[in-house]
Amino acid sequence: MKNIFILISTLIFITLMLSCNTVEDEPNYTYSIDSVWWSDPIDGNADGYAKFERLNFNVHLKENTSQKVNGRVYYKLKEASNFSFYAFSEDKRIIGENADNNFFVSIGNPNKELQRGIYDFTIEIFQNNQSDIKAEPDSLHLEILSNKQFEQSANDNTFTLNISWADQYDRTGNGYNRRASMVIDVNNSEDITRNLDARIYYKRSENNEFQFYKERLNFQINGDSDKDTIIIPVGASNNTLEGETELEEYEFIKLEYGKYDFRVELTEAGKDNLLAFEDMENDMLKEQKFESEDEDSYYFTISNIWWSDSTDLDGDLYTAARKIHVDVDVDKQVEQTLYAKVYMRLHEDDPDSTDYNIKYDSTSNFKIFGSDVDPFSIWIGKKSAVLDSNKYDLLISLYSYSKKDTIDIVEATISGFSNTVLANQTFETASQDSL
């Protein structure tokens, strides 16, 4: 029995070893650093030593696959022998077939600022969860990464940008604004008045390239005052403000449904030297949710309308009272709160006129849901006001009830001009309808 046990154990061990050998090794993909470049140098006192500059690099993956990778940047003083770790880039899933995959690392805030000196840098690319280096810069790129002059912001003339949002309007409540105001507060470390230019750019978050949106030229700030903010409206125009001269200089971005990154650049008035900027490294400018005015709207239709409960005691087809029912649909499967107003005109006055000059009644709030059959109803000739013997045309207007809107918004109308159910309707008073 002992020999049989040993034999079985040996067979099991061999089987396990063989099965382990069948596990495929992770493919060794081919990475390269296709290009390296610097951008956005900020040198407030123009002494040739930047307090900030962005190191950009483009990573290529040869094979037709996608992998998640990151870059690691190292630095050293020119006279030093060894590099030290500086910062990680973001982790990003890149696409293969030598497509462009852009990464960057900020040298300076929000990363560590470097003391005044001349520095060399290098970059290493790693595939996530693997410890071996996948790509390094070649000799040409090493030249670009050499002899960079940096200093700390304490030794520079420092401008800062504080970004916030206000006046967001999201009618459908899905988290995507049709419009908002970008509030920009510029501060300077020196307590003096300065004239500046600001330029705003935007892009879809999944894209690499920013597009120019708008500039605000020659505005004035004073030190770190919070009373010199500028406001840039973004998205659809605010109809309640149209015509105000304050907004006439602005064009509005028509943003379709999606997430957007923004970039704000600050220069001296009339010059192009970059003093400060903020972009998607600032959460206030990263993946901001917008959609168009059409996408942020509800569209209502009146799907059916009919009369019931007629009171016509003398049988002359002139009713003392009737109830009208209206079924309203909305284009999204959501619940909406509405109210209605009923207007009238005498049919004989002008059959082609659209002027319904008699305000007859209003309903209380009622709810509808999507395209459900959920009509509201209102009495005509009974509770609100009796109607003298005549022929009437009716108009019904629908309004949204929303705490976000301070004015009545007409969502849909139906009238005798377009629907015969509301045209040439005969009514008379209760006394006129007596037997």
Side-chain angles (χ1 to χ4, degrees), residues 39-227:
S39 67
D40 308 312
I42 297 178
D43 178 10
N45 56 15
D47 64 353
Y49 284 78
K51 68 175 181 180
F52 176 96
E53 196 160 355
R54 179 165 282 172
L55 174 55
N56 307 274
F57 45 99
N58 182 12
V59 179
H60 279 191
L61 170 59
K62 181 179 180 181
E63 288 77 18
N64 181 16
T65 183
S66 67
Q67 295 293 320
K68 200 167 188 181
V69 304
N70 66 71
R72 303 178 190 181
V73 172
Y74 301 82
Y75 77 109
K76 72 178 183 68
L77 281 166
K78 187 68 181 177
E79 60 271 19
S81 300
N82 298 316
F83 284 94
S84 299
F85 174 75
Y86 181 74
F88 291 99
S89 73
E90 65 173 326
D91 288 351
K92 185 189 292 187
R93 180 165 292 279
I94 68 173
I95 56 177
E97 295 191 303
N98 288 324
D100 289 340
N101 300 280
N102 293 334
F103 291 77
F104 68 83
V105 169
S106 294
I107 310 301
N109 187 48
N111 295 316
K112 177 175 67 174
E113 293 189 341
L114 299 178
Q115 294 185 356
R116 186 180 178 91
I118 302 175
Y119 292 85
D120 295 338
F121 295 84
T122 191
I123 306 165
E124 294 175 350
I125 304 301
F126 287 80
Q127 187 173 311
N128 279 26
N129 302 319
Q130 294 190 10
S131 59
D132 59 317
I133 299 170
K134 299 299 182 182
E136 295 179 278
D138 58 24
S139 57
L140 178 62
H141 297 143
L142 287 174
E143 184 177 344
I144 296 172
L145 293 168
S146 299
N147 300 316
K148 298 297 295 182
Q149 298 183 147
F150 284 93
E151 67 180 353
Q152 293 179 320
S153 58
N155 301 319
D156 201 43
N157 182 15
T158 301
F159 289 82
T160 56
L161 288 164
N162 296 320
I163 311 292
S164 59
W165 293 92
D167 305 320
Q168 295 95 331
Y169 186 86
D170 172 18
R171 188 179 180 199
T172 58
N174 65 349
Y176 287 75
N177 296 313
R178 73 166 68 177
R179 65 172 179 263
S181 296
M182 182 190 295
V183 183
I184 304 172
D185 180 25
V186 180
N187 295 314
N188 182 241
S189 56
E190 299 179 6
D191 189 20
I192 59 176
T193 299
R194 295 183 180 273
N195 287 72
L196 305 170
D197 294 339
R199 293 175 177 84
I200 295 87
Y201 302 82
Y202 76 107
K203 69 177 181 67
R204 282 188 174 271
S205 296
E206 64 270 20
N207 295 342
N208 288 325
E209 300 297 327
F210 280 98
Q211 301 176 56
F212 176 73
Y213 165 47
K214 194 65 183 176
E215 58 189 9
R216 181 70 179 272
L217 301 179
N218 200 27
F219 67 95
Q220 195 171 87
I221 68 159
N222 194 322
D224 61 356
S225 171
D226 59 359
K227 301 183 184 303

Side-chain angles (χ1 to χ4, degrees), residues 6 12 16 64 96 99 119 150 232-233 235 237 248 294 316 417 432:
I6 292 172
I12 292 173
L16 289 173
N64 181 16
Y119 292 85
F150 284 93
I232 307 296
S237 62
E248 285 180 359
D294 284 343
D316 62 356
F417 186 77
Q432 291 168 336

Side-chain angles (χ1 to χ4, degrees), residues 302 305 307 324 326 339-347 351-363 376 378-380 387 391-399 410-425 427:
I302 296 172
I305 186 167
W307 294 94
I324 192 165
V326 182
Y339 61 95
K341 297 179 182 179
V342 179
Y343 298 85
M344 291 185 172
R345 69 178 185 187
L346 294 177
H347 179 72
D352 295 324
S353 172
T354 57
D355 182 18
Y356 289 77
N357 55 0
I358 304 169
K359 183 178 179 181
Y360 181 75
D361 200 4
S362 298
T363 70
F376 74 93
I378 183 170
W379 280 100
I380 305 296
L387 296 173
K391 296 178 180 179
Y392 297 87
D393 295 336
L394 285 73
L395 179 145
I396 299 173
S397 293
L398 297 171
Y399 302 83
V410 179
E411 303 292 2
T413 61
I414 189 169
S415 71
F417 186 77
S418 59
N419 191 304
T420 57
V421 174
L422 296 175
N424 202 21
Q425 298 298 304
F427 285 91

